[in-house]
Amino acid sequence: MRITDVTVTPVAFRDPPLLNSVGVHEPWALRTIVEVHTDEGVSGLGETYGDLGHLNRVRAAAPALTGLDVHDLNGLHARVAAALGGEAGSDRHGLTGPLTVESTVDRVFASFEVATWDIRGKALGRPVSDLLGGRVRDAVPYSAYLFYKWAGHPEAEHDAFGEALDPAGIVTQARMLVAEHGFGSIKLKGGVYAPHLEVEAVHALREAFPDHPLRLDPNAAWTPETSLKVAAELDGVVEYLEDPAPDIDGMARVAAGAPMPLATNMCVIAFEHIAPAVERGAVQVILSDHHYWGGLSRSKELAGICRTFGLGLSMHSNSHLGISLAAMTHLAAATPNLNYACDTHYPWNSADDVITEPFTFVDGAVPVPTAPGLGVELDRDALARAAENYRRCGLVQRDDTGYMQRHDPSYERKRPRW
């Protein structure tokens, strides 16, 4: 079964004003939908980032896949690498760490790789989780992903999620998400306010949810010294502290004195980062993400490395739609040592999904799809609307900092900030 054509569709969907360490989400989030077609009439889906640089790399690589056997993942990776010609991308929004040539190839390859798993599953009549080794769980738990946020985008109506700018607002947001989706663990995106204020919010969450595992992620907004102070204050309160300080060296300094595990999706984002991180003892939990670790097969390889070195494993999320959630769920279902609930932005973005049957959470988990392949199908009308949103919204690059500065000219992007 050989690839005959690849369709690449950039899309945009509504995003609330979610605050983070580099600014605030713009009104539109960008993604790219990939469809890989074959000579046997079976097509597969993938979803990836939508920033223009990445989109152009996906578009450049797509024609090189024509004629390739869908089972030849090594050949697929080689063709993507050749098409990109040694180019290294950039993390311009500043939330996922520095890219290398290898990780740039992996990010482009991943969208096509997921589509080939979808194709093979459909051809065999089996869900992707079966092809990845079989599911070890029938439903994948996800965490409630909390954000400090404005009530709505400036000069727009307030959104249904409401304002969350203090501990009381964060607890209200958590109650809403837990009541609606049943989440059994909670993550707070920090790095927005002074650390002592975010510690107050975590303690308020602990009081409101005494049995829920908690996490705090300031996206490297703190120095190692500040990180150690926060770690001491949250001893016994959070299950792990995510990316408190920048870089492997900074994380290693924190890990040496922190009483809880440190997790990352910023300082270890490619295979070449694992050895120095393990050597330094910098992290104890890797937040995998098939979008930048090179798809599902390479994410399974990452899971094996984590098992070898006794590292915990969870899953990172960016603003995404249902194709990504399907792939995440199949991967998590077939990864025995994924021992923490996964992150997901889906509750913030699901209203504009491009699949025919958007996912719902059952007791905070997504039941693993049992239909062949990823188990999702495109809603062509919804895809057309999302593509039109992309053409009309005027955004081609995520820019949380620039959007913040338009509304607060005094805002300065700074890392570490405290």
Side-chain angles (χ1 to χ4, degrees):
M1 187 159 39
R2 296 191 176 275
I3 296 171
T4 56
D5 186 33
V6 178
T7 304
V8 177
T9 306
V11 299
F13 50 92
R14 291 169 292 175
D15 209 14
L18 308 178
L19 297 162
N20 56 50
S21 69
V22 297
V24 61
H25 287 206
E26 295 172 275
W28 297 98
L30 308 178
R31 296 292 272 184
T32 301
I33 306 301
V34 169
E35 300 173 73
V36 174
H37 309 286
T38 69
D39 56 1
E40 295 188 15
V42 183
S43 297
L45 299 174
E47 179 187 331
T48 185
Y49 309 105
D51 289 347
L52 186 60
H54 181 76
L55 172 62
N56 285 340
R57 286 187 284 273
V58 171
R59 285 172 165 164
L65 308 186
T66 300
L68 191 71
D69 190 315
V70 298
H71 300 280
D72 186 7
L73 296 184
N74 289 326
L76 177 58
H77 195 272
R79 290 197 185 188
V80 170
L84 299 186
E87 179 183 359
S90 63
D91 170 31
R92 291 183 60 183
H93 58 72
L95 295 173
T96 59
L99 274 68
T100 64
V101 171
E102 178 186 359
S103 60
T104 300
V105 172
D106 282 345
R107 289 185 181 218
V108 174
F109 166 73
S111 60
F112 305 125
E113 192 256 16
V114 169
T116 66
W117 284 103
D118 191 24
I119 290 168
R120 285 178 281 156
K122 290 174 180 176
L124 292 170
R126 303 296 290 268
V128 165
S129 58
D130 283 1
L131 307 188
L132 292 172
R135 63 182 184 270
V136 297
R137 50 188 68 90
D138 294 327
V140 173
Y142 287 87
S143 61
Y145 205 158
L146 309 184
F147 289 84
Y148 292 101
K149 68 178 292 293
W150 299 334
H153 286 282
E155 302 175 0
E157 293 184 2
H158 293 181
D159 60 50
F161 296 100
E163 182 178 86
L165 299 175
D166 55 21
I170 289 296
V171 169
T172 297
Q173 185 184 107
R175 291 191 191 280
M176 178 185 64
L177 291 174
V178 170
E180 184 172 351
H181 304 292
F183 293 121
S185 61
I186 297 171
K187 170 177 171 174
L188 173 61
K189 176 68 76 176
V192 177
Y193 296 112
H196 74 277
L197 298 175
E198 296 185 350
V199 168
E200 286 181 18
V202 174
H203 282 295
L205 287 169
R206 169 53 67 231
E207 183 176 353
F209 298 92
D211 300 321
H212 279 60
L214 304 178
R215 312 163 186 176
L216 175 60
D217 172 21
N219 278 124
W222 306 333
T223 64
E225 292 75 18
T226 298
S227 300
L228 285 167
K229 291 178 182 177
V230 173
E233 293 174 6
L234 294 180
D235 185 11
V237 180
V238 296
E239 63 175 344
Y240 60 65
L241 192 58
E242 180 181 339
D243 284 309
D247 306 322
I248 289 175
D249 287 345
M251 290 284 282
R253 290 173 60 191
V254 180
M260 73 283 290
L262 300 189
T264 188
N265 72 278
M266 294 184 69
C267 71
V268 180
I269 62 169
F271 288 96
E272 61 202 90
H273 300 149
I274 297 174
V278 170
E279 182 180 15
R280 298 292 308 278
V283 297
Q284 292 72 51
V285 181
I286 300 291
L287 303 183
S288 69
D289 185 331
H290 73 271
H291 301 91
Y292 60 66
W293 281 94
L296 307 185
S297 55
R298 291 166 78 84
S299 294
K300 290 282 287 185
E301 180 182 349
L302 171 64
I305 294 171
C306 288
R307 186 173 59 248
T308 297
F309 290 104
L311 299 175
L313 184 65
S314 185
M315 196 173 286
H316 164 258
S317 166
N318 204 331
S319 299
H320 66 86
L321 298 170
I323 298 169
S324 284
L325 186 60
M328 293 165 65
T329 300
H330 282 286
L331 175 62
T335 304
N337 60 315
L338 194 140
N339 36 24
Y340 295 92
C342 301
D343 294 345
T344 181
H345 285 63
Y346 195 67
W348 299 102
N349 305 126
S350 60
D352 291 334
D353 210 346
V354 296
I355 59 176
T356 56
E357 296 184 20
F359 286 97
T360 57
F361 296 90
V362 179
D363 296 328
V366 173
V368 182
T370 56
L374 291 175
V376 298
E377 299 293 337
L378 277 177
D379 180 330
R380 293 289 172 183
D381 291 337
L383 180 66
R385 289 193 296 271
E388 183 65 16
N389 289 339
Y390 180 84
R391 287 188 288 271
R392 289 178 176 271
C393 75
L395 302 180
V396 295
Q397 177 73 42
R398 177 176 175 178
D399 185 7
D400 294 27
T401 303
Y403 186 57
M404 175 67 87
Q405 289 172 338
R406 292 210 300 273
H407 303 289
D408 178 6
S410 67
Y411 182 83
E412 178 185 4
R413 180 166 166 173
K414 185 178 180 181
R415 178 176 289 154
R417 191 180 296 276
W418 291 280

